[in-house]
Amino acid sequence: QVHLVESGGGLVQTGGSLRLSCAASGRTVSSYAMAWFRQAPGKEREFVAAITWSGDSTRYADSVKGRFTISRDNAKNTVYLQMNNLKPEDTAVYYCAADADYQTSRFEYWGQGTQVTVSS
């Protein structure tokens, strides 16, 4: 079992930055691919970014490329999402996820989410 806890959400103005953190515990989390998803009100949950267990490969949704950066620190069992140049359409609950398969679209483990609100 893998337990994920997100933090770092909040209210920020358009153009601002936030860094989300996801602390992982349980099974050998350092061997899992990690990802961030988000869900805006009235919309389906969507993929944001993912990173391999080693951190040597990442992928992003087109909507966040060039603005968001995913990274991880396996010594701390933590994955991060640096979000720059935030836009009102980035407002959502952001979820951390983990899975053994980096390419999957159906991650196995999920956190409870952290709210990000971008004001215009």
Side-chain angles (χ1 to χ4, degrees):
Q1 192 73 11
V2 174
H3 184 58
L4 305 173
V5 179
E6 303 96 333
S7 62
L11 174 64
V12 64
Q13 292 185 334
T14 297
S17 298
L18 281 175
R19 188 177 81 156
L20 305 182
S21 298
C22 173
S25 61
R27 299 177 66 179
T28 53
V29 294
S30 61
S31 66
Y32 279 73
M34 303 292 290
W36 289 94
F37 288 74
R38 67 186 181 185
Q39 187 168 19
K43 296 186 177 181
E44 293 186 353
R45 187 165 57 191
E46 65 175 0
F47 170 79
V48 175
I51 187 167
T52 55
W53 70 271
S54 64
D56 64 350
S57 184
T58 57
R59 56 189 176 98
Y60 296 90
D62 287 343
S63 59
V64 306
K65 280 181 181 177
R67 300 188 299 122
F68 291 11
T69 303
I70 188 171
S71 62
R72 68 189 298 163
D73 184 339
N74 285 341
K76 297 181 178 180
N77 288 334
T78 302
V79 63
Y80 305 98
L81 185 68
Q82 178 67 44
M83 306 186 294
N84 298 328
N85 190 22
L86 283 160
K87 305 175 181 180
E89 52 264 42
D90 294 319
T91 295
V93 177
Y94 283 71
Y95 297 92
C96 177
D99 198 275
D101 183 0
Y102 168 68
Q103 296 292 345
T104 185
S105 60
R106 301 181 67 179
F107 278 69
E108 182 174 6
Y109 300 103
W110 294 86
Q112 293 300 306
T114 185
Q115 176 71 47
V116 171
T117 303
V118 184
S119 63
S120 58

